[in-house]
Amino acid sequence: MMSRGAATVVRSVMGQMGPRLFSTAAGNASITGVMRANAGLIGSEKAVVTWWITSSPIGARHASTMTLGEKVQQPDQKEEVTGSGGAAAGGQKGKEVVSYWGVQPPKVTKEDGSEWKWHCFRPWETYQADLSIDLKKHHTPTTFLDKLAYWTVKSLRFPTDVFFQKRYGCRAMMLETVAAVPGMVGGMLLHCKSLRRFEPSGGWIKALLEEAENERMHLMTFMEVSKPRWYERALVFTVQGVFFNAYFLAYLASPKLAHRIVGYLEEEAIHSYTEFLKELDKGTIENVKAPAIAIDYWRLPADSTLRDVVMVVRADEAHHRDVNHFASDIHYQGLELKDSPAPIGYH
């Protein structure tokens, strides 16, 4: 005789599988007949569940999805859908993920009706860069913290110049792995602060996370242009680990200093991309076709080149420069970021 727990499992299983599944598993026999036939085998909850799985022709995983009204795929049928991986490459064809929760990825199309192939960003996150921004603006360091931030950034530029020299594609790739960190750290700390104080952030959480995401898209773009070598990948691990923790502590100690450092980092990024453009114009670096991901992200013309990509990336860096110097100025005036509306979508 089954234990009370086993009977409970059987009732639960019977409720989920339905009469049709039991009739398939036992032929034309009734449910009562099936249970009597297996009475000698079922002596525990484990045995009941094992019997359920082995007797079901579609398996427990598919049986759970049947409760959602999904169509069961036969073994001889092949189904190809876009997978969730391969963001930069446009996704890979693979088997559809079967889930009890019924979460289905949305099917997104372009304006012309063609399939949107990028999973790392969506059409409503794309934009046309503002190339009219002043690239020569500079914050002159006056206070001690400003000078500390300025010379910290200048000291970091020297080893970068020595390591990468004229390889501006690899330099840009490395730069973006670092540039995407401050926005994420600042947004995370502001998020936690907002929760602790039960107060809004003035939109600055979103603005900083938006900056981090934009910098990450720069990296996804230059990954298509310059393939990193193994030691460059190893360097990213080291630099990111050191910089993340250093910036985290700096932001806790002084947000005004942290944002000023990023402002000067962005000024250096503008300089680096300007040198990149000079090498492209001289023909030292081949002006190849723009990566497809860049064309869609910045809404560039289909015949755009690498030079066009560098132009829009440099404009993004100039906007990030302004946002971070602005954030530092807010703190210098004795205010908090929440006291001033964040420039969301400024880039």
Side-chain angles (χ1 to χ4, degrees):
M1 187 173 183
M2 287 188 297
S3 64
R4 181 177 180 181
T8 303
V9 173
V10 171
R11 286 195 295 269
S12 177
V13 169
M14 290 170 60
Q16 293 183 17
M17 295 168 61
R20 186 179 65 174
L21 182 59
F22 272 90
S23 62
T24 305
N28 296 324
S30 63
I31 296 176
T32 304
V34 172
M35 296 305 296
R36 289 176 179 175
N38 291 276
L41 300 176
I42 301 175
S44 65
E45 295 180 5
K46 181 178 180 180
V48 174
V49 176
T50 303
W51 169 81
W52 166 44
I53 295 174
T54 56
S55 62
S56 173
I58 61 174
R61 182 181 178 185
H62 284 228
S64 65
T65 61
M66 284 187 64
T67 61
L68 302 174
E70 296 181 6
K71 181 180 179 181
V72 178
Q73 181 180 344
Q74 298 300 325
D76 58 342
Q77 293 179 346
K78 294 183 179 180
E79 183 176 3
E80 291 186 353
V81 296
T82 304
S84 58
Q92 299 177 350
K93 297 294 182 180
K95 187 176 180 180
E96 183 179 9
V97 176
V98 180
S99 172
Y100 172 81
W101 307 107
V103 178
Q104 296 294 331
K107 294 183 178 180
V108 183
T109 59
K110 294 184 179 180
E111 295 178 354
D112 58 3
S114 60
E115 181 183 359
W116 182 263
K117 60 181 181 179
W118 310 108
H119 295 170
C120 53
F121 68 100
R122 295 302 190 181
W124 52 86
E125 297 171 329
T126 64
Y127 64 98
Q128 290 181 319
D130 178 15
L131 301 180
S132 64
I133 188 171
D134 186 358
L135 300 172
K136 298 181 179 179
K137 289 172 66 177
H138 167 66
H139 181 276
T140 304
T142 54
T143 67
F144 170 76
L145 286 181
D146 283 356
K147 293 178 181 179
L148 177 61
Y150 179 78
W151 288 111
T152 298
V153 172
K154 284 295 184 181
S155 65
L156 293 174
R157 179 179 171 179
F158 176 74
T160 305
D161 290 341
V162 172
F163 184 82
F164 291 105
Q165 297 181 359
K166 297 293 183 179
R167 294 185 297 125
Y168 286 102
C170 294
R171 185 191 185 105
M173 182 188 60
M174 173 64 74
L175 178 67
E176 300 303 344
T177 62
V178 174
V181 170
M184 181 61 66
V185 172
M188 175 186 67
L189 290 176
L190 286 180
H191 175 75
C192 293
K193 182 179 180 180
S194 176
L195 297 177
R196 291 194 308 270
R197 295 189 176 184
F198 304 95
E199 63 184 16
S201 69
W204 279 94
I205 296 174
K206 184 175 182 178
L208 293 178
L209 294 181
E210 184 182 72
E211 174 188 315
E213 175 65 10
N214 181 246
E215 297 283 10
R216 192 184 66 84
M217 288 305 301
H218 294 175
L219 175 62
M220 296 297 102
T221 297
F222 285 111
M223 282 287 293
E224 299 295 312
V225 177
S226 177
K227 304 300 181 183
R229 302 165 185 171
W230 69 268
Y231 58 84
E232 291 171 338
R233 289 178 177 270
L235 184 61
V236 169
F237 273 87
T238 304
V239 172
Q240 189 181 86
V242 173
F243 183 74
F244 180 94
N245 290 283
Y247 190 78
F248 179 85
L249 295 175
Y251 204 100
L252 287 175
S254 175
K256 71 175 72 173
L257 172 64
H259 282 292
R260 192 68 81 199
I261 289 175
V262 179
Y264 287 129
L265 279 174
E266 300 295 358
E267 290 184 18
E268 291 299 326
I270 295 170
H271 173 77
S272 296
Y273 284 118
T274 300
E275 294 299 315
F276 197 164
L277 289 171
K278 291 179 181 179
E279 296 299 320
L280 285 169
D281 292 338
K282 290 190 300 184
T284 307
I285 300 176
E286 183 182 1
N287 189 24
V288 298
K289 179 177 173 58
I293 190 172
I295 292 176
D296 284 343
Y297 183 67
W298 282 285
R299 302 177 190 170
L300 296 173
D303 58 348
S304 296
T305 63
L306 177 59
R307 191 182 193 282
D308 299 316
V309 175
V310 176
M311 290 284 289
V312 295
V313 170
R314 185 178 64 170
D316 286 349
E317 305 295 3
H319 286 88
H320 299 327
R321 170 204 62 192
D322 294 352
V323 170
N324 281 277
H325 280 315
F326 173 56
S328 184
D329 288 346
I330 292 175
H331 285 290
Y332 266 104
Q333 296 172 27
L335 303 174
E336 295 189 23
L337 293 183
K338 67 181 181 64
D339 298 325
S340 179
I344 298 174
Y346 177 62
H347 68 273

